[in-house]
Amino acid sequence: MAALSPIAAERAAAAVTSVPRGARGGMRGRRRARLNLFRYVTFALFGAFFLMPLWAMVRFSLEGSRLGTWSVAAWSQIASYPGLLGAIEITLELAVLTSGVMLLLLLPTMIWVRLRVRRFTRALEFLCLLPLTIPAIVLVVGLSPIYNRIERFNVSALMLFWAYVILALPYAYRALAAGLNSIDVTTLAEAARSLGAGWGTVMARVIAPNMWQAILNALLLTVALVLGEFTIAYNLTYTNLQVALYAISRNTENAGVLFSASAASLLFAFALLMIISIVGRRRRGRA
Amino acid sequence: MNTTEQSRAGVEVRMEGLRRSYGPVVALDGVDLTVKPGELVALLGPSGCGKTTTLRLLAGLEDADAGSITVGGKDITHLPASRRDMGMVFQAYSLFPHMTVRQNVAFGLRLRRIARQRRDQRAMEMLQLVDLTAQADRYPHQLSGGQQQRVALARALAIEPQVLLLDEPLSALDAKVRAQLRDQIRRIQLEVGITTLFVTHDQEEALAIADRVGVMRDGRIEQLASPTEVYSRPSTPFVAEFVGLTNRLAGTVADGTVTVRGRALPLVDPATRPGPAIALVRPEAVTLAREAGSGPLTGTVIASTFLGATSRVTVDLGDTTILAQIPTADAVAHPAGSRVTLTIRPDPVLVAQDPPA
């Protein structure tokens, strides 16, 4: 075989080294393409899994009395349907009340335990997560005697907020704990105290503003839980949105209203999620 | 209002018999410390010696088990941190992330219900003091570590505290920024004339910045003296070995001197018990010359570390090694492998002895 000239040898060497590099790049590209395809397919499947029932629900709520016709009658009946508007109103009030009480009870307690009595962290976590392990129906059994006594005073369904605070505790605790873990609570508190801040100021003006996103997440979870709660309200014979929807579902003629009200409550939760996400992003952008 | 107008005479801080335990661990074992008005005292010591605990007790962030703290003649032992009137800069970055630099500095003034215009003015003055007026509207995450600590210093000083407490404020910074900020802290402290307690584990930092240095060990202050005295006349072997480098050379104490390798050196404490001892000799007290005959102080250079104007040369004497810190210009004449004769300057030395049987 004839010897290669220096230039030809250089070109040959370059060709030899460039082939595997190109091949590596091609392999990586193909792997990336396969991974992307897997992601899109997974996303589409899960999206369809979640969206199909919602789409079917909205579609059913918009169907007219005759097959193939469309109507917003079911949606317009939400306001006029007996008891439904009141149930929506009480549920929204419950959501606000539960969120407020939960936040007022849990946030200062968690900050206090973190700053002053850290040895109780595990105990607090255990207490807050405990409701997760107790089925709602078991909770009803325990709560019934208490609510039977309360009922003597002819109180409204708003009294459910006590039970809902217990139900929301695990979710709110987890959200707030994540927020507390993301900041150096001890140093911030000590810095504020050395500048003359009392404990109230430390919590309200130093710690809480730095875990705003966690607070919003806790609120969102609490509101979502209250909007969807059925078991306790039904078994304690109070009427909230879910109980009212259940009552409507017993009358199949009004199935359209049932679906329109369900879709409305879902849209409300979705809108709330969007608002919280946007507010959180804005605050993150500023800080 | 300029800095001179802001400054006020510092106050005396007196801590007496301070004790603090965490379960079975004794963090402070009867600390007595008096900081004179306007003085900067650095507490220096290894991890766990109790220096930060002392500072936290003074700040009111922890309670003492026993002892008393008076500031300006007023007993503040049981006063909560929020009412102690002390400015503190922490080791960790402690700026409030949701506030701008200006809001951070004005935070303490806001708590004191100072009018908005006045507190903004004061905040800008403080930022001017630490050369950060241009960053007034930035958030902490937009600042470097050194800038954050300067803002923390401005925030601590904005409330015109009686005492400034610095808890290893430079330890998270790189060497160059640390040196710059150290000098800036000292300049501002002198300008404002505030009584300051500075905690550090970095001996260079403590010796460079403080009027007096307190060396702590096992919850007690071993020596409290000027940086020069702590370095050149350490009161205990621990201080001698913790502050600066020390050669440990076996010798014998007799007649008020310690004889090391045939050379008699005066003792810091002439009343030292006669008998075998370890003499603690600073590397600066050792000089090198080309080998002139053989003797107990003749050896071979095994390493030389360049430190700038000086170099640290390690000499093997056969049974031990000895460090000599000499001008770099002289050190180049003694490369590794060369034979040298050592001379120990007859400065008073401290000795370590086994306790009497």
Side-chain angles (χ1 to χ4, degrees), chain A residues 190 194-195 205 210 286, chain B residues 56 82 86 98 112 139:
Chain A
E190 289 181 348
S194 74
L195 291 166
R205 280 160 68 176
N210 282 301
R286 261 195 298 149
Chain B
R56 291 175 65 80
S82 56
M86 291 188 189
H98 64 297
R112 284 161 178 74
Y139 282 92

Side-chain angles (χ1 to χ4, degrees), chain A residues 181-192:
Chain A
N181 289 337
S182 69
I183 54 174
D184 186 352
V185 184
T186 311
T187 305
L188 291 181
E190 289 181 348

Side-chain angles (χ1 to χ4, degrees), chain A residues 99-116:
Chain A
S99 304
V101 172
M102 184 275 302
L103 212 56
L104 281 175
L105 279 179
L106 195 55
L107 186 59
T109 308
M110 287 180 72
I111 296 175
W112 186 255
V113 167
R114 177 66 64 95
L115 290 175
R116 300 290 284 175

Side-chain angles (χ1 to χ4, degrees), chain B residues 279-300:
Chain B
L280 304 170
V281 178
R282 292 283 187 208
E284 302 82 44
V286 180
T287 53
L288 306 184
R290 277 184 202 284
E291 182 182 12
S294 61
L297 283 170
T298 299
T300 308

Side-chain angles (χ1 to χ4, degrees), chain B residues 48-108:
Chain B
C49 69
K51 52 190 191 299
T52 295
T53 307
T54 308
L55 193 86
R56 291 175 65 80
L57 290 187
L58 180 56
L61 299 174
E62 286 182 36
D63 299 322
D65 296 334
S68 67
I69 303 169
T70 54
V71 173
K74 186 182 161 195
D75 188 343
I76 61 157
T77 315
H78 303 292
L79 215 57
S82 56
R83 290 172 52 202
R84 289 206 177 188
D85 197 15
M86 291 188 189
M88 188 159 175
V89 181
F90 295 81
Q91 180 180 4
Y93 300 135
S94 63
L95 297 185
F96 307 133
H98 64 297
M99 295 183 193
T100 62
V101 164
R102 188 202 310 262
Q103 288 167 337
N104 261 284
V105 177
F107 181 78

Side-chain angles (χ1 to χ4, degrees), chain A residues 70-153:
Chain A
W70 300 99
S71 163
V72 290
W75 285 80
S76 57
Q77 278 180 53
I78 291 176
S80 58
Y81 205 87
L84 186 56
L85 208 58
I88 291 173
E89 192 183 318
I90 205 91
T91 304
L92 291 178
E93 284 171 7
L94 270 171
V96 172
L97 198 58
T98 308
S99 304
V101 172
M102 184 275 302
L103 212 56
L104 281 175
L105 279 179
L106 195 55
L107 186 59
T109 308
M110 287 180 72
I111 296 175
W112 186 255
V113 167
R114 177 66 64 95
L115 290 175
R116 300 290 284 175
V117 277
R118 223 179 163 124
R119 62 184 179 278
F120 290 148
T121 305
R122 290 277 167 222
L124 180 68
E125 186 178 12
F126 175 76
L127 276 178
C128 289
L129 298 186
L130 201 58
L132 269 187
T133 63
I134 305 172
I137 196 73
V138 176
L139 209 60
V140 169
V141 174
L143 289 169
S144 288
I146 301 167
Y147 275 88
N148 283 342
R149 282 177 183 274
I150 292 175
E151 267 182 354
R152 288 181 200 160
F153 303 103

